[in-house]
Amino acid sequence: MLFSACLLKGLIHESECSSNLIFPDAQVICACGNTWTTGSTKKVIHTDVCSVVTPSSPANSVLVDTEGQVDRFYRKLQARQQFLDDREARETARVSPDRPIADLELGTRPTEALAKAGFITVGQVLEKFAQGEEVLLAIDGFGRKSLSDLKKRLRQFGYTIPEFGQEIVV
């Protein structure tokens, strides 16, 4: 709207109607240097992105990402992936067949009895479970109570006990 039209509306001062002015030859200036004209209420418009500058272009990513939002997103994504990897490693370590029998905290007598028989890791005990309970019950100093406690602790740690080893009742 022109200033004379503002006067017709009763607006006396130019400042009162400057927001209603339309500039048909407003100049748009992009940060990349590209310029063009358009109609606007502002005479000069400065912008960071235009049709020449695309956000998907790696060369222009610094220009578009003025606040570091992309870097922040990638840091969060990397932290999430690290968290998932750590959690998976903990779960894998939790049911590792290389875990020492002492980590099960069965007590002194059953742990020493298994150690005397040559069982140092949980994997070795699980192999014997596959052969049957009698193999473990044949160990001196390792009875039904110790076997029951062993099964309970193995389940608590997330190990799968072979089918032969699940029929014991104390």
Side-chain angles (χ1 to χ4, degrees):
M1 182 176 352
L2 298 174
F3 183 68
S4 58
C6 290
L7 291 175
L8 290 175
K9 284 185 154 184
L11 301 172
I12 300 172
H13 298 290
E14 185 177 344
S15 62
E16 290 179 327
C17 73
S18 64
S19 62
N20 296 327
L21 292 177
I22 296 175
F23 298 100
D25 58 345
Q27 186 166 7
V28 181
I29 302 170
C30 180
C32 72
N34 191 20
T35 61
W36 66 95
T37 58
T38 187
S40 177
T41 57
K42 292 185 175 183
K43 187 71 175 161
V44 178
I45 301 169
H46 293 278
T47 182
D48 292 333
V49 181
C50 69
S51 62
V52 175
V53 180
T54 58
S56 62
S57 172
N60 298 324
S61 62
V62 175
L63 176 68
V64 174
D65 186 25
T66 57
E67 295 180 12
Q69 293 175 354
V70 173
D71 292 336
R72 190 168 51 241
F73 170 76
Y74 281 124
R75 281 195 304 270
K76 285 181 182 180
L77 188 65
Q78 185 179 21
R80 172 72 177 156
Q81 188 61 42
Q82 182 66 34
F83 170 76
L84 292 176
D85 292 345
D86 290 346
R87 185 170 69 179
E88 184 178 333
R90 282 193 307 270
E91 288 297 319
T92 303
R94 184 174 181 184
V95 292
S96 171
D98 297 330
R99 179 187 289 269
I101 294 291
D103 288 356
L104 298 178
E105 299 175 356
L106 295 172
T108 307
R109 184 176 177 142
T111 303
E112 288 178 1
L114 289 171
K116 262 187 207 176
F119 299 111
I120 300 170
T121 64
V122 172
Q124 294 169 332
V125 173
L126 290 175
E127 286 176 11
K128 292 300 177 181
F129 256 126
Q131 297 174 5
E133 295 175 352
E134 306 82 35
V135 177
L136 291 173
L137 291 173
I139 298 171
D140 288 336
F142 196 84
R144 291 217 173 260
K145 174 72 170 123
S146 299
L147 184 62
S148 174
D149 290 343
L150 176 65
K151 286 182 179 182
K152 187 185 300 182
R153 294 299 291 168
L154 287 173
R155 283 191 205 106
Q156 286 176 348
F157 277 89
Y159 291 98
T160 303
I161 299 173
E163 291 298 320
F164 299 115
Q166 294 188 2
E167 298 297 327
I168 191 169
V169 177
V170 177

